[in-house]
Amino acid sequence: MPSPALAPGASIVIKIMNLPPFKLERYFAKYEFSTEYLLCASDCEAMSIAELLAFEPDAAQKFQNVWLGYTESQGSPALRAEICKLYETIQPNEILVYTGAEEAIFVFMFAALQPGGHVIVHSPGYQSLADVARAAGCDVSLWRAREENNWALDLDELRHLMRTNTKAIVINTLHNPTGYLMSREDYEAVHTFVQENNLLLFSDEVYRESEYDAATRLPAGCDIGEHAVSLGVTSKTYGLAGLRIGWIATKNNKIYQKVASLKDYTTICNSAPSEFLAEIAMRNRQKLSERNLGIIKNNLAVMDGFFAGYSSRFSWVRPRAGSMAFPRYLDGSVEEFCDELVKKSGVLLLPGSVYDDSDNHFRLGLGRKNLPQAVERLELFLSK
């Protein structure tokens, strides 16, 4: 007898079973909510609902009246209108709101890619940007940023990675975990390469608006052309990870319709309270980003002093933007160092092995207010 036809979405479920453990999340699961100092957090300092509502005089009363029914699958019109203000040319019907950036990555990969395709992915990077593409049936080539090049990508290497079946390129700028901000010249060259080769560009921009100098901010990928899909989220620059609100923005209607249809098999729609709070956040995003940039810049000064004082044990390429850096430990195994540090001193650093880095790097978070206290605890540990 012929095999019964698979129900819609069933093939996706089968592929999901092939996903490997998410190394970063499994590491955090052991320590994130039981450790005093998260010195490796990628997001900026959070705030309470009351603090967020205080940005607008009538927001608290409006929040009390939020209707707890289903919301629009695209995201509320008011929220999409606010998100559009991040971009130069994007309209509300070109925004699709998700439950966090992870869902957006997942749905894009399965909706836009086909088995047998080839994807080039910026590395080191957030694991799902490569592994979900693999689970979708694609071969993945890693386009590696290297410390000796100050974490810049090599455009000649991109050309050599290209294959006849290449379908998409994935970049992340501002970059997690190195804090690298691509130059405008290189960024434009990547877009030109994608357009000339009729590819898709998935542009992970979740740290956008946390540049140390606003003059260095790059255009959003989605504003450059239909070839690009931009990823955004409230979690990183704005410090509101608990809202679980992310989005994609694109002028590519064909891709938009595919990802919108596949969302019907994931969350369908988002939390009404979260969308309301995210609308306030996006309307006041400049206040949020300025607040968190102030924290980052203060913390950078602390870390400049720390690395100057411990140059025999650590090295780093100072980040150009964002809330992270990727220093190197010079005094033994970074996995053993991080393990001993968290267990003995209650300070969590993230070993680079969760990014498949084998060069003794670790992720350092710059966006939390208590970084100076965490560094004091780190220095005490080092002194012993």
Side-chain angles (χ1 to χ4, degrees):
M1 293 179 61
S3 299
L6 288 173
S11 61
I12 292 173
V13 174
I14 292 169
K15 291 170 186 173
I16 293 169
M17 294 168 64
N18 296 321
L19 280 169
F22 203 127
K23 294 178 183 179
L24 183 151
E25 296 300 340
R26 290 302 90 210
Y27 196 87
F28 269 127
K30 293 191 292 184
Y31 300 116
E32 183 174 7
F33 296 102
S34 60
T35 301
E36 189 172 1
Y37 293 107
L38 300 184
L39 193 51
C40 58
S42 61
D43 56 325
C44 292
E45 186 77 16
M47 61 173 54
S48 68
I49 291 175
E51 289 175 296
L52 180 59
L53 291 173
F55 281 137
E56 298 179 359
D58 57 349
Q61 182 57 46
K62 287 181 177 178
F63 187 48
Q64 296 293 320
N65 295 323
V66 170
W67 184 254
L68 295 178
Y70 287 116
T71 61
E72 293 190 31
S73 181
Q74 286 179 280
S76 78
L79 173 56
R80 285 184 283 122
E82 292 300 332
I83 291 172
C84 280
K85 295 174 185 177
L86 273 168
Y87 308 111
E88 296 295 326
T89 62
I90 293 295
Q91 301 302 312
N93 63 352
E94 295 167 327
I95 300 285
L96 188 60
V97 182
Y98 285 95
T99 302
E102 181 66 84
E103 185 195 11
I105 294 168
F106 184 91
V107 171
F108 169 83
M109 296 294 181
F110 276 104
L113 305 176
Q114 297 295 323
H118 173 243
V119 183
I120 299 169
V121 180
H122 190 168
S123 174
Y126 195 57
Q127 183 176 333
S128 62
L129 292 172
D131 276 350
V132 179
R134 291 188 181 103
C138 294
D139 287 334
V140 171
S141 293
L142 299 179
W143 185 17
R144 295 191 182 277
R146 294 179 171 85
E147 183 180 17
E148 58 267 27
N149 199 27
N150 292 320
W151 298 121
L153 292 163
D154 185 335
L155 293 173
D156 286 334
E157 185 177 344
L158 172 63
R159 298 181 185 99
H160 285 112
L161 291 172
M162 183 71 182
R163 301 180 190 173
T164 56
N165 63 335
T166 302
K167 301 300 180 185
I169 296 174
V170 178
I171 60 171
N172 171 214
T173 187
L174 298 50
H175 185 237
N176 167 7
T178 67
Y180 180 74
L181 177 62
M182 194 177 287
S183 71
R184 184 174 290 261
E185 180 182 8
D186 283 357
Y187 185 68
E188 290 175 352
V190 171
H191 280 272
T192 299
F193 182 86
V194 168
Q195 290 171 308
E196 288 177 346
N197 290 280
N198 196 29
L199 307 175
L200 282 173
L201 179 71
F202 189 78
S203 182
D204 180 344
E205 300 165 2
V206 299
Y207 296 93
R208 196 162 178 263
E209 295 202 325
S210 60
E211 300 86 357
Y212 305 155
D213 178 358
T216 64
R217 185 169 303 148
L218 297 170
C222 58
D223 279 323
I224 296 178
E226 292 186 6
H227 64 285
V229 176
S230 291
L231 176 70
V233 77
T234 58
S235 304
K236 306 301 183 182
T237 298
Y238 312 117
L240 300 173
L243 292 183
R244 310 308 305 134
I245 293 293
W247 59 87
I248 63 163
T250 185
K251 293 181 173 298
N252 190 319
N253 186 61
K254 182 179 178 180
I255 293 298
Y256 186 98
Q257 295 304 324
K258 285 184 175 182
V259 295
S261 294
L262 190 52
K263 190 188 177 192
D264 294 341
Y265 284 97
T266 55
T267 57
I268 303 176
C269 64
N270 307 302
S271 157
S274 285
E275 288 202 338
F276 176 83
L277 294 170
E279 178 191 338
I280 295 173
M282 297 310 293
R283 195 157 45 242
N284 293 278
R285 72 181 200 278
Q286 186 172 352
K287 296 176 185 176
L288 290 167
S289 62
E290 287 175 354
R291 165 189 182 266
N292 289 329
L293 273 170
I295 295 170
I296 290 169
K297 289 178 179 180
N298 287 338
N299 288 341
L300 274 170
V302 173
M303 297 316 305
D304 283 336
F306 174 85
F307 286 119
Y310 290 90
S311 59
S312 65
R313 303 179 77 172
F314 301 93
S315 67
W316 79 329
V317 176
R318 196 178 193 270
R320 295 187 178 187
S323 55
M324 282 175 296
F326 207 43
R328 184 200 295 262
Y329 182 57
L330 305 175
D331 201 21
S333 163
V334 74
E335 286 82 5
E336 292 177 7
F337 171 70
C338 291
D339 184 65
E340 190 175 3
L341 176 65
V342 69
K343 289 178 178 176
K344 292 187 176 181
S345 295
V347 176
L348 184 65
L349 291 171
L350 190 67
S353 53
V354 303
Y355 290 95
D356 292 328
D357 172 85
S358 59
D359 291 328
N360 245 34
H361 294 99
F362 60 93
R363 192 174 81 181
L364 172 71
L366 299 165
R368 299 292 179 89
K369 285 182 178 179
N370 65 2
L371 178 141
Q373 292 75 38
V375 170
E376 287 180 6
R377 186 78 64 88
L378 170 60
E379 290 187 306
L380 182 61
F381 172 81
L382 292 169
S383 71
K384 296 178 179 178

